[in-house]
Amino acid sequence: MQERLSNTEFNMMMRERTKRFALSIIALSDSLPNKESARVINRQMIRSGTSVAANFRAACRGRSKAEYFSKICIVVEEADETQFWLEMLRDSNLSNENNLNPFLKEISEIVAITTSIKSKLRSNS
């Protein structure tokens, strides 16, 4: 049987996970072609991908449940936007689909987890 993490343990695990994801997005950006279309998508992807980690970290520092909820809403929005930019890279053939699959899988999981958190917080208020 799987042991349930405390809220503090879960938040620490997600802080690290989103930070690792942000660092991997930065590394991915260096592998993109030097084309204007790739640069535009790259800037947006880095901004939203690092924002996921920054806002999850800020949520953990929230002074109230309302502030935590507000930051989680931003995390969901930024994660979804990052997923969009990754899909744009894939669909425009600016990056190899096999190269993008791990990023798409991870951001899909982050979207699902944070959407679940948001839903639970909304139903508890």
Side-chain angles (χ1 to χ4, degrees):
M1 185 169 184
Q2 188 175 4
E3 187 176 321
R4 183 171 154 80
L5 296 175
S6 72
N7 286 344
T8 302
E9 291 169 325
F10 173 81
N11 285 339
M12 290 301 293
M13 183 269 305
M14 282 300 293
R15 277 178 60 163
E16 284 304 310
R17 185 174 182 173
T18 57
K19 183 178 178 181
R20 279 192 314 273
F21 179 76
L23 291 168
S24 71
I25 285 292
I26 292 168
L28 171 64
S29 75
D30 291 338
S31 72
L32 296 177
N34 190 21
K35 297 167 65 173
E36 182 59 23
S37 55
R39 284 191 294 275
V40 169
I41 293 171
N42 194 8
R43 280 191 297 274
Q44 295 293 328
M45 180 186 66
I46 289 175
R47 187 197 58 75
S48 62
T50 56
S51 180
V52 170
N55 280 291
F56 194 88
R57 183 181 179 114
C60 294
R61 298 276 185 213
R63 294 170 296 217
S64 67
K65 287 182 181 182
E67 191 173 340
Y68 183 78
F69 177 76
S70 176
K71 291 295 182 180
I72 289 297
C73 289
I74 294 169
V75 173
V76 171
E77 186 177 323
E78 295 292 337
D80 183 63
E81 182 179 338
T82 304
Q83 188 172 28
F84 171 79
W85 293 120
L86 288 164
E87 290 168 359
M88 290 297 289
L89 284 175
R90 179 196 62 206
D91 296 348
S92 63
N93 296 314
L94 288 168
S95 186
N96 181 303
E97 184 171 355
N98 290 333
N99 187 40
L100 293 174
N101 282 340
F103 295 93
L104 287 162
K105 180 180 183 298
E106 179 66 0
I107 198 61
S108 178
E109 290 177 12
I110 290 170
V111 167
I113 291 166
T114 56
T115 299
S116 176
I117 293 168
K118 179 181 166 183
S119 295
K120 287 176 185 170
L121 290 170
R122 183 178 294 149
S123 68
N124 287 343
S125 58

